Every structure is written in C-alpha cells, then in structure tokens.
C-alpha cells in the first residue's frame, strides 16, 4: 500500500501555484519598484523628512566620515524612528545582530512604558537605541565568555538603516547592531567587518596619497560587495519525511537520479511557474526592505536557483544577505516549499556557493579597480592591483580559512567550485599588462575586434578578460570575484579576511614607496610587489591534477579540509596580520578558530547521528522486509548481500564511535579522516539498496522525486 512517501508525491504534484497581491497605488494599478523600494526602512530619505536639518547633517557625518554619533543625535533619531515605526504598526523593537553562529539574533522589547502618573506610554530613547543587553554566555564565544560571565551588549550600527520586520500580527523595528562582551571583545561577525573596512580606508588612503602629485588625501575609501546567492527549493512535503534535510540541511542518504545535470538543460532554462511565483514574492519582500534583488535564474543543478543583488557598501551588503537568506526561507514556507541553502544538499549534482563580488570606491564614486582605457598607464589601478596580489599571496592561508566549513568541504575542488588552493585569475590581457610592468615596459591594450554572429545582429563588445569558473579569486572587469564562499555562510567573515589581507598589501606597497627616494619609486614598488606575488597568479584549469602539483611547486598552500584550513588561524602570521590591521585581537582571532572548529565537530556528529537513526529506523526495516519477500531468487540474494553490507558498515561505524579522542583539534582530524570515510561507506551501501529495493517499501523521498517532482 502507498506509504507516507507516495502521499508526499501526490501532495507535491497537486499543489496550486500561490499568487499574492503586488503593491498597488491609489489607482489600483501595480506600483513601480521604485515607488515602494525601501519603504520599510528608516533610510536617508525618511531621516531627512523627519529629523531637524542639523541632526540630519550630523548623522550624515557619522555615515560618510566615520564620526561617532553623539547622544543628542541618538535621542533625536530614536524619537523619530519610534514615531515612524508605530505609525507603520510596530509594537516592539529589537537589536538585530550577527553572532558567530553565521545566522542572526534578536530579542524583542515592547515600546510600552509608564509615565510618572502611571499612565501607559510608548517610549524609546537614545540610550535604548544605542545598546541593549542580551546574554553573551549563550552564544558562541570561543571561550571569551563563560557560563557564569553572562553580560554582553548589542551596539547600534548607525551606518545600516533600521527596518521593519513583519510578524504574524504586527511589525517589529529591527536595529542593525554589533555584539560585544563585557570587556569589549567582538562576539559577532559585524564588528570585525567594520574594523576591516576602517583598515582599508586607512591603508588605501595612505597609498593613494603617495600616488597623488600633490599628496592629497583621497577621502574616505569604501569597500563595496555584491554577493550572489545560490539555493535549492523542494516541496516541503518531502522535507517533512527527511529529518536530514530539516536538521542538517543536506541529505545524508540518497541514490542519484537517472538524470541529474548531465544534459545541461537546467542552467538559465525557463523558470518553473511555481518557483517563479516564489521568486517574485521574495523580490517584493526584499524591495520593501531596501534590498536590491536584481537577478534571478535557474542554476546548473535541477531545482537549483540564484538571486543576485546590486553592489553596496560591505557592512550593508552583509545585513542584506542575511535578509535574503531569511526571506528565502520565510517565503518558501508560504509556497509550501523549503529553501535549502546548504553547500551540498544533494550528492552527485552541483552544490551551492555565494560568489562574493568585491571592489573599492573613493569618496567621488570612482571604482579603484576600473582599469581605464589603458591600464598599463593607469598608475593608480596598477598600484591597487599589485597591493591586492601581494596581500592575497602572502595571506592565502587566511583566505582559505575564511571560507572553511564542513559543508563547503563537499564543494571545493569538486568540478563545481574552485579548488581549495587560493590563486588569482587576471585573464590574458591583464596578465600581459602585469608581465610588462614587471619588466618595466608599457603595454597598450587592444580592446579587440567586436563580435558579430550574423549580419542581422548588432555588434557586441568583447571584454578584455574571459571568465574562469575554476579560479577562487578572479578579476572580472572592474572587480574581483571571491568564488569560493559557501552558500550558507555569512559574508562578513570572508569579507573581513579579504579586507585585512588587501589592507596589508597596500601598507607594504606604501612602505616600499616611502622608503625609496628615486623618481620611479612607485613603479619600482609595483614591480617588486608583482614579482613577489607572481606564484599566486594562475589563469589555467584549476580542476586539473597538474595544477595541484604545480601549485605545490609554487609554494601555494593547499588545505584540503576544514581542520587543515582553520589551523592557519593559529599561526603567528595570522595573529600579526589581524593585530597589525586592528581588526582582531589575538584573543578574538583564537575565538574564531575555536568556534569554527567546534562547529565543524558538532556538524559532523549531528550528521553521523542522523545517518545511524535513518539506517536503524527506516533503511534496515525496509531492506529486511524486501529480502524476506524475494528470498531464494537472484533479487533476494542481492538484497541479502546489501543488507549484510549495511550491517557490517554500521558495526564498523559504531566501533569507531566508541573511541574517545581528547582535544577539539585532534577530534576534528579523527572525525575528518577516520569517521567520515566510515560513514560514507555506510551511505554507499544504503544507496545501492535504494536502487534495487521495492519502490513501495523505500521510505525516504528519492532524489528523483525531490528534484524533479516539486
């Protein structure tokens, strides 16, 4: 008889496509996006309307010049945002922050208070805006806070607009914040990111002042990023029968479907109508919050998709990306879908990444990574490029550690994501410029002939660089693309590390220029940086075995697993980098190593537990019943052999689990190199049985059903 799995298929196939009411104007016609974009944010336009002019100007200084907000400014903003939020239906406020879980956190407080006569009023002051006090011992701290040392603070980030979050019966005012301990340690992802942006501002200002004929300081330098977000969606009826997807975010069991992405027909294909409706509602929700969801499309794997925003300042982009992930999950539930942000939810098809497009701009909006018409003569561009290459080369191990996670280990180097070797792709044209600069020569770039496919088609321009999807850090015209970041990761930590690395490269280049009195001191420093960083440049196939050997010959680090990658954060070079750039203290850096190692160990252990429970409660009973029914025949013998293989693999896994390994680092190595291979053997035995077990008895929704029948 049909079981829960077959009922789930029937439910998924009978779903109606959800429709929703798009924003309309007074005339009842759909509004333009620009008419409601950011309407749930207390941004610059709304502050200009509601704040006294002098207060608004002082707030602009906070955002544009990095000036610390004074108490009168906070009091005025608190009053204005309270009145606006209440008008919009808000009853509560919360300080919204990014702890080291990779997610966001919030504690809601009511605006309710009482006056001296005991009458109920709404109250929100500058002091309440600036800070609140959540329990710091209940969040990951890497030992910086213990159970009996509970006090921690959230600290308002005035550079990121407050916004209204819809609740089932109202709204809550969310205040983007940093999170710190009682002694001032950063317990979150945002504070180090903000510090690293300050480091870029200092270092770039120092370097660009040296490049100016008059020594003029360039003003504030900002880091701008645009993170692409890949994800899967499947029907929630399937997820309800897959505790591994619900708890771990990925399937710990599952045989490949007969068809995956082999026909290459899903990428950029026609978006399924049900998913299109989901995407459209996600975009509207994000537009309300001022998040610029710009691009949507099918990704490579079946049921995989992508959303990409427009560039904005790095700390705002980090807030926006967290809102993107939470909105994907929230809106998916409305459509009876589940959004999977795990890096590898399904074996055998592409996993999901989050390409972090990264650049820098001066206070006039000029992109520092724009080569111009002739990059070999664009001294500023060459100096900035040389600084980046130098920093990435010297601190490649730190960048590798920044994208390390148990989930991302399933992607890196798997012909779907860059390898675990950090290298830089420049493209043929820019490589010629760099090599000429190393020789002290100029190269005039030929933009190349335009492309025309047929007489009826207009000419199209040819870029100076191709794209290399196997490169973890690739130049793509006027920005770098850090392609190795995992889909579920907060962009704050890789962004922090990248900023620190680049700032360090800029400081070194500036120091070489300052120490040289010769007329060509800038070009001399650029040549020195480019020559030292030459080993990190690679434009070839990052998936090839030859590249692995070549990279080792070049001396490039190759940390294949998360435990190996995270060890770089324990090295003196990393400590010196983060303290020199005033981004993390030694204690804060050690905490981030310990938190990420602890997360690795716990995620592996959770998946092992899930695997064993699924095998014991679902796989073994199904295979045993099937073997009994077909006993004696060829199929029965196959099932019995498979059953024995599952039991043997399970026994071996239990034997290994009985061992006790002391120390988190030793345990991580043991989990990685001993326990996970045994778990993979158990999975492989189960997946073989899925392919021959009776369909009516197999209990778990299959890859075919989840990826193609949603």
């Amino acid at each position: 008889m049909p079981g829960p799995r077959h009922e789930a298929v029937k439910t998924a196939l009978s779903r109606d496509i959800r429709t929703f009411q798009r924003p309309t104007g007074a005339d009842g016609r759909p509004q333009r996006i620009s008419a409601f974009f950011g309407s749930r944010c207390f941004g610059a336009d709304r502050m200009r309307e509601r704040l006294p002019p002098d207060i608004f100007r002082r707030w602009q200084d906070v955002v544009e010049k990095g000036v610390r907000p004074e108490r009168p400014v906070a009091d005025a903003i608190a009053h204005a945002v309270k009145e606006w939020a209440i008008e919009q239906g808000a009853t509560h406020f919360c300080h919204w922050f990014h702890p080291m879980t990779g997610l966001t956190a919030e504690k809601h407080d009511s605006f309710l208070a009482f006056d001296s006569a005991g009458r109920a009023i709404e109250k929100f002051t500058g002091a309440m805006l600036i800070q609140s006090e959540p329990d710091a011992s209940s969040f990951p701290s890497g030992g910086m806070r213990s159970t009996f040392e509970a006090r921690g603070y959230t600290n308002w980030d005035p550079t990121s607009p407050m916004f209204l979050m819809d609740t089932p019966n109202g709204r809550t005012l969310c205040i983007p914040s940093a999170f710190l301990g009682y002694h001032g340690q950063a317990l979150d992802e945002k504070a180090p990111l903000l510090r690293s942006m300050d480091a870029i501002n200092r270092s770039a200002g120092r370097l660009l002042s040296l490049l100016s004929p008059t020594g003029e300081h360039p003003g504030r330098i900002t880091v701008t990023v645009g993170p692409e977000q890949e994800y899967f969606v499947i029907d929630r009826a399937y997820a309800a029968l897959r505790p591994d997807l619900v708890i771990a975010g990925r399937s710990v069991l599952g045989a490949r479907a007969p068809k995956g992405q082999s026909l290459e027909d899903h990428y950029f294909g026609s978006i399924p109508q049900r998913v299109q409706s989901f995407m459209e509602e996600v975009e509207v929700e994000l537009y309300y919050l001022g998040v610029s969801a710009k691009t949507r499309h099918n990704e490579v794997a079946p049921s995989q998709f992508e959303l990409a925003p427009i560039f904005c300042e790095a700390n705002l982009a980090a807030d926006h990306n967290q809102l993107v992930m939470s909105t994907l999950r929230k809106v998916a539930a409305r459509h009876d879908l589940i959004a999977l942000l795990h890096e590898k939810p399904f074996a055998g098809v592409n996993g999901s990444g989050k390409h972090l497009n990264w650049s820098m701009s001066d206070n006039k909006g000029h992109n520092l990574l724009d080569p111009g018409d002739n990059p070999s003569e664009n001294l500023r561009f060459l100096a900035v490029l040389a600084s980046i290459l130098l920093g990435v080369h010297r601190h490649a191990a730190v960048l590798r550690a920044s994208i390390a996670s148990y989930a991302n280990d399933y992607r890196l180097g798997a012909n779907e994501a860059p390898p675990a070797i950090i290298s830089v792709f420049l493209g043929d044209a820019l490589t010629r410029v760099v090599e000429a600069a190393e020789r002290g020569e100029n190269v005039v770039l030929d933009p190349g002939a335009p492309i025309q496919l047929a007489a009826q088609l207009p000419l199209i321009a040819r870029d100076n660089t191709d794209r290399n999807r196997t490169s973890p850090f690739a130049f793509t015209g006027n920005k770098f693309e850090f392609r190795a970041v995992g889909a579920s990761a907060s962009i704050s930590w890789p962004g922090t590390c990248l900023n620190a690395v680049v700032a360090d490269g800029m400081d070194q280049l500036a120091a070489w220029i300052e120490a040289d009195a010769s007329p060509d001191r800038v070009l001399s420093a650029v040549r020195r940086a480019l020559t030292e960083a030459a080993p990190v440049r690679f434009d070839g196939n990052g998936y090839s075995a030859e590249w692995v050997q070549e990279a080792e010959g070049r001396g490039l680090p190759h940390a294949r697993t998360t435990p190996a990658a995270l060890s770089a954060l324990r090295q003196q070079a990393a400590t010196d980098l983060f303290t020199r750039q005033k981004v993390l203290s030694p204690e804060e850096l050690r905490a981030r190593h310990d938190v990420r190692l602890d997360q690795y160990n716990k995620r592996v252990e959770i998946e092992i537990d899930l695997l064993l429970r699924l095998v014991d409660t679902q796989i073994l009973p199904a295979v045993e019943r099937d073997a009994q029914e077909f006993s004696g025949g060829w199929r029965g013998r196959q099932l019995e052999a498979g059953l024995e293989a599952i039991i043997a693999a399970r026994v071996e896994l239990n034997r290994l689990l009985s061992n006790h390994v002391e120390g988190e680092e030793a345990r991580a190595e043991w989990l990685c190199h001993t326990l996970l291979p045994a778990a993979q053997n158990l999975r492989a035995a189960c997946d073989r049985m899925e392919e021959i077990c009776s369909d009516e008895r197999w209990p778990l929704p299959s890859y075919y059903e989840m990826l193609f029948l949603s």
Side-chain angles (χ1 to χ4, degrees):
M1 292 184 59
R5 176 178 139 243
H6 297 87
E7 290 298 321
V9 173
K10 288 173 59 179
T11 298
L13 293 178
S14 65
R15 303 279 197 199
D16 291 329
I17 296 175
R18 170 185 161 87
T19 59
F20 66 99
Q21 181 64 52
R22 297 187 68 90
T24 56
D27 58 0
R29 300 176 64 182
Q31 286 185 312
R32 296 184 180 189
I33 294 172
S34 57
F36 66 93
F37 186 83
S39 59
R40 294 180 190 166
C41 289
F42 197 69
D45 289 343
R46 199 151 282 110
M47 296 179 84
R48 184 183 290 107
E49 295 170 359
R50 290 179 171 261
L51 292 174
D54 65 313
I55 295 292
F56 179 73
R57 284 194 297 271
R58 290 160 74 180
W59 171 80
Q60 284 183 306
D61 287 342
V62 172
V63 175
E64 297 172 4
K65 300 178 182 179
V67 177
R68 181 174 288 106
E70 298 174 348
R71 183 60 178 273
V73 175
D75 284 334
I77 292 175
H79 174 75
V81 75
K82 178 200 72 173
E83 293 300 309
W84 170 76
I86 291 173
E87 290 170 10
Q88 301 296 315
T91 57
H92 289 67
F93 66 92
C94 73
H95 286 78
W96 183 81
F97 58 102
H98 306 194
M100 286 188 282
T101 58
L103 304 173
T104 59
E106 58 204 46
K107 182 182 77 171
H108 296 206
D109 284 303
S110 171
F111 287 118
L112 176 66
F114 296 91
D115 65 13
S116 58
R119 292 185 295 263
I121 59 171
E122 284 79 21
K123 182 179 181 181
F124 188 58
T125 65
M128 297 163 71
L129 169 63
I130 288 172
Q131 76 176 67
S132 71
E133 184 190 344
D135 187 339
S137 66
S138 299
F139 291 97
S141 70
M144 291 190 291
R145 295 268 82 189
S146 61
T147 302
F148 69 91
E149 295 174 317
R151 196 179 296 278
Y153 303 103
T154 52
N155 190 190
W156 168 47
D157 175 12
T159 66
S160 185
M162 291 175 270
F163 60 91
L164 293 172
M165 177 174 60
D166 280 351
T167 58
N169 299 294
R171 285 177 175 168
T172 296
L173 175 67
C174 294
I175 305 162
S177 304
F179 181 42
L180 62 151
Y182 181 70
H183 299 292
Q185 315 100 319
L187 300 178
D188 68 339
E189 306 282 16
K190 170 166 280 196
L193 178 61
L194 290 170
R195 293 174 185 169
S196 73
M197 293 167 66
D198 287 342
I200 286 283
N201 183 43
R202 289 193 306 270
S203 301
R206 175 187 178 189
L207 177 62
L208 297 183
S209 296
L210 292 169
L211 302 181
S212 169
T214 62
E216 180 184 1
H217 193 278
R220 183 166 177 259
I221 305 297
T222 60
V223 178
T224 55
V225 301
E228 304 168 25
Q229 180 69 58
E230 295 175 349
Y231 61 95
F232 284 79
V233 288
I234 65 170
D235 194 280
R236 66 191 305 183
Y238 300 134
L241 299 178
R242 299 282 317 218
D244 49 353
L245 288 179
V246 173
I247 294 175
R250 86 176 187 103
S251 53
V252 299
L253 292 171
R256 296 185 183 186
K259 174 183 179 294
Q261 60 198 51
S262 53
L263 294 180
E264 300 175 332
D265 56 348
H266 191 260
Y267 191 53
F268 279 24
S270 178
I271 301 172
Q273 286 193 336
R274 187 178 175 198
V275 176
Q276 176 90 30
S277 178
F278 155 72
M279 287 178 166
E280 289 168 349
E281 189 165 2
V282 165
E283 290 166 353
V284 168
E285 291 287 340
L286 292 174
Y287 293 153
Y288 279 129
L289 297 172
V291 180
S292 58
K294 175 70 172 175
T295 303
R296 63 184 182 221
H297 64 82
N298 287 8
E299 254 300 332
V300 171
S303 288
Q304 187 187 32
F305 307 94
E306 181 178 299
L307 180 156
I310 298 173
F311 271 59
C312 64
E313 199 162 341
N315 72 307
L316 184 58
D319 285 350
H320 283 182
N321 186 246
Q322 290 289 352
L323 289 173
V324 165
M325 292 191 288
S326 63
T327 302
L328 286 169
R329 295 187 183 100
K330 178 176 65 176
V331 176
R334 299 177 193 166
H335 291 253
D336 291 311
L337 297 166
I338 182 170
L340 299 172
L341 302 177
H342 193 282
E343 282 71 8
K344 193 73 171 181
F346 302 103
V349 297
N350 267 24
S352 297
K354 183 179 294 180
H355 301 168
L356 186 60
N357 296 284
W358 179 94
S359 189
M360 296 175 288
S361 299
D362 64 20
N363 63 342
K364 297 179 181 178
H366 298 144
N367 184 350
L368 301 187
L369 287 176
D370 187 350
D373 294 332
N374 191 350
S376 65
E377 295 179 355
N378 186 338
L379 191 58
R380 185 180 73 173
F381 170 76
L382 277 176
V384 170
L385 178 65
S387 300
I388 294 171
L389 292 171
L390 182 64
V392 170
H393 177 57
R394 287 186 172 182
H395 304 292
V398 168
L399 289 182
R400 170 65 180 94
S402 77
I403 47 93
S405 72
Y406 171 55
N408 217 18
D409 282 356
Y410 286 99
R411 288 180 61 249
L412 298 180
N415 290 340
E416 64 190 73
I421 304 167
I422 298 297
S423 64
V424 180
F425 168 83
L426 295 180
D428 291 342
L430 201 53
T431 295
R432 290 200 304 273
V433 171
V434 167
E435 290 176 346
E438 289 176 314
R439 299 189 300 268
E441 303 171 358
N442 277 340
V443 172
V444 178
L445 280 182
D446 179 1
I451 304 171
Q452 186 171 30
L453 291 174
Q456 300 91 335
L457 300 179
L459 296 175
I460 61 172
R462 186 196 308 269
D463 288 319
N464 270 326
T465 61
D466 200 349
R467 298 183 67 188
N468 188 331
R469 69 187 304 271
T470 72
S471 175
F473 196 64
F475 187 75
T476 55
N478 61 359
K479 58 184 172 60
F480 276 98
E481 187 177 16
F482 195 6
R483 296 178 53 88
V485 181
S488 67
S490 163
I491 65 170
S492 294
W493 176 236
T496 295
C497 293
L498 180 54
N499 292 344
V501 161
V502 171
D504 215 55
M506 288 180 161
D507 281 345
Q508 179 62 85
L509 197 72
W512 285 339
I513 294 171
E514 291 165 345
D516 188 349
S518 65
D520 64 344
R521 59 180 187 156
V522 174
L523 285 175
S524 176
V526 167
R527 285 195 295 271
R528 183 174 177 180
L530 293 175
T531 301
E532 180 181 331
V536 85
R537 301 199 313 263
F538 177 67
D539 286 1
N541 181 8
Y543 292 154
S544 67
E546 291 78 11
W547 166 233
V548 175
Q549 296 176 351
E550 182 182 340
E552 291 176 355
R554 294 186 184 194
L556 301 182
H558 185 191
R560 293 171 173 82
T561 66
T562 289
L566 291 177
S567 66
L569 300 181
R570 297 287 305 277
Q571 302 303 312
Q572 189 62 43
T575 302
D576 292 345
L577 166 68
F578 286 105
T579 54
R580 186 165 56 241
Q581 294 303 326
K582 301 178 182 178
V583 173
L584 291 169
S585 69
E587 180 189 27
E588 290 170 330
L589 178 60
R590 174 62 184 264
R592 276 144 185 83
H593 167 273
D594 291 353
V595 165
R596 281 159 176 77
L597 195 68
D598 181 64
Q599 288 174 338
Y600 178 88
N601 290 347
K602 287 177 178 175
R603 291 187 186 281
V604 174
E605 290 163 354
I606 287 169
E607 285 200 4
I608 297 294
D609 191 14
L610 281 165
L611 175 63
L612 289 172
R613 292 192 188 197
L614 287 173
V615 168
D616 287 346
T617 62
Q618 301 201 50
I619 306 306
L620 282 174
V623 178
E624 285 173 350
R625 286 194 297 269
D626 228 39
Q628 290 170 4
E629 179 175 339
F630 295 101
S631 61
W634 173 86
R635 186 173 180 185
R637 288 192 297 273
Q638 291 287 311
L639 287 163
E640 288 173 0
L643 188 61
E644 291 173 1
I646 292 173
I647 292 173
R650 195 202 182 291
V651 168
E652 173 62 12
L653 188 55
N654 271 337
R655 184 187 70 79
L656 293 172
L657 282 169
S658 66
N659 295 336
H660 184 69
V661 179
E662 294 285 352
E664 290 300 305
E665 289 171 314
R667 185 165 183 79
E669 290 291 337
W670 175 75
L671 289 169
C672 180
H673 298 293
T674 302
L675 202 62
L676 281 177
Q680 184 57 39
N681 289 338
L682 177 55
R683 173 183 181 149
C686 293
D687 291 352
R688 284 194 294 271
M689 286 301 93
E690 181 181 351
E691 294 173 345
I692 65 171
C693 190
S694 298
D695 182 74
E696 65 180 16
R697 284 203 176 92
W698 193 256
L700 300 177
S702 68
Y703 276 23
Y704 158 68
E705 291 157 350
M706 291 187 288
L707 295 178
F708 294 97
L709 301 182
S710 289

Coordinates of all heavy atoms in Angstrom, one line a residue, residues 611-621 650 654:
L611 N 22.4 9.8 10.3 CA 22.6 8.7 9.4 C 22.3 7.4 10.1 O 21.6 6.5 9.6 CB 24.1 8.6 9.0 CG 24.5 7.4 8.1 CD1 23.8 7.4 6.8 CD2 26.0 7.5 7.9
L612 N 22.8 7.2 11.4 CA 22.5 6.0 12.1 C 21.0 5.8 12.4 O 20.5 4.7 12.3 CB 23.3 6.0 13.4 CG 24.8 5.8 13.2 CD1 25.6 6.0 14.5 CD2 25.1 4.4 12.6
R613 N 20.4 6.9 12.8 CA 18.9 6.8 13.1 C 18.1 6.4 11.8 O 17.2 5.6 11.9 CB 18.4 8.1 13.6 CG 19.0 8.4 15.0 CD 18.2 9.6 15.7 NE 18.9 10.0 16.9 CZ 18.3 10.7 17.8 NH1 17.0 11.1 17.7 NH2 18.9 11.1 18.9
L614 N 18.5 7.0 10.7 CA 17.8 6.7 9.4 C 18.0 5.2 9.1 O 17.1 4.5 8.6 CB 18.2 7.6 8.3 CG 17.7 9.1 8.4 CD1 18.4 9.9 7.3 CD2 16.2 9.1 8.2
V615 N 19.2 4.8 9.2 CA 19.5 3.4 8.9 C 18.7 2.5 9.8 O 18.1 1.5 9.4 CB 21.0 3.1 9.0 CG1 21.3 1.6 9.0 CG2 21.8 3.9 7.9
D616 N 18.7 2.7 11.1 CA 18.1 1.8 12.1 C 16.6 1.8 12.0 O 16.0 0.8 12.0 CB 18.5 2.2 13.5 CG 19.9 1.9 13.8 OD1 20.5 1.1 13.1 OD2 20.5 2.4 14.8
T617 N 16.0 3.0 11.8 CA 14.5 3.1 11.8 C 13.8 3.0 10.5 O 12.6 2.7 10.4 CB 14.1 4.4 12.5 OG1 14.6 5.5 11.7 CG2 14.7 4.5 13.9
Q618 N 14.6 3.2 9.4 CA 13.9 3.2 8.1 C 14.6 2.3 7.1 O 13.9 1.5 6.4 CB 13.8 4.7 7.6 CG 13.1 5.6 8.5 CD 12.6 6.8 7.8 OE1 11.9 6.7 6.8 NE2 12.8 8.0 8.4
I619 N 15.9 2.4 6.9 CA 16.5 1.6 5.8 C 16.6 0.1 6.1 O 16.2 -0.7 5.3 CB 18.0 2.2 5.6 CG1 17.9 3.7 5.3 CG2 18.6 1.4 4.4 CD1 17.0 4.1 4.2
L620 N 17.1 -0.2 7.3 CA 17.2 -1.7 7.6 C 15.8 -2.4 7.6 O 15.7 -3.4 7.0 CB 17.9 -1.8 9.0 CG 19.4 -1.7 9.0 CD1 19.9 -1.7 10.4 CD2 20.1 -2.8 8.2
P621 N 14.8 -1.8 8.2 CA 13.5 -2.5 8.2 C 13.0 -2.7 6.7 O 12.4 -3.7 6.4 CB 12.6 -1.6 9.0 CG 13.5 -0.9 9.9 CD 14.7 -0.7 9.2
R650 N 27.6 -0.5 9.4 CA 27.1 0.1 10.6 C 27.9 -0.3 11.8 O 28.2 0.5 12.7 CB 25.6 -0.2 10.8 CG 24.9 0.6 11.8 CD 23.7 0.0 12.3 NE 23.0 0.9 13.2 CZ 23.5 1.3 14.4 NH1 24.6 0.8 14.8 NH2 22.8 2.1 15.2
N654 N 29.9 2.1 14.4 CA 29.7 2.1 15.9 C 31.0 1.8 16.6 O 31.3 2.3 17.7 CB 28.7 1.0 16.2 CG 27.3 1.6 16.2 OD1 27.1 2.8 16.4 ND2 26.3 0.7 16.0

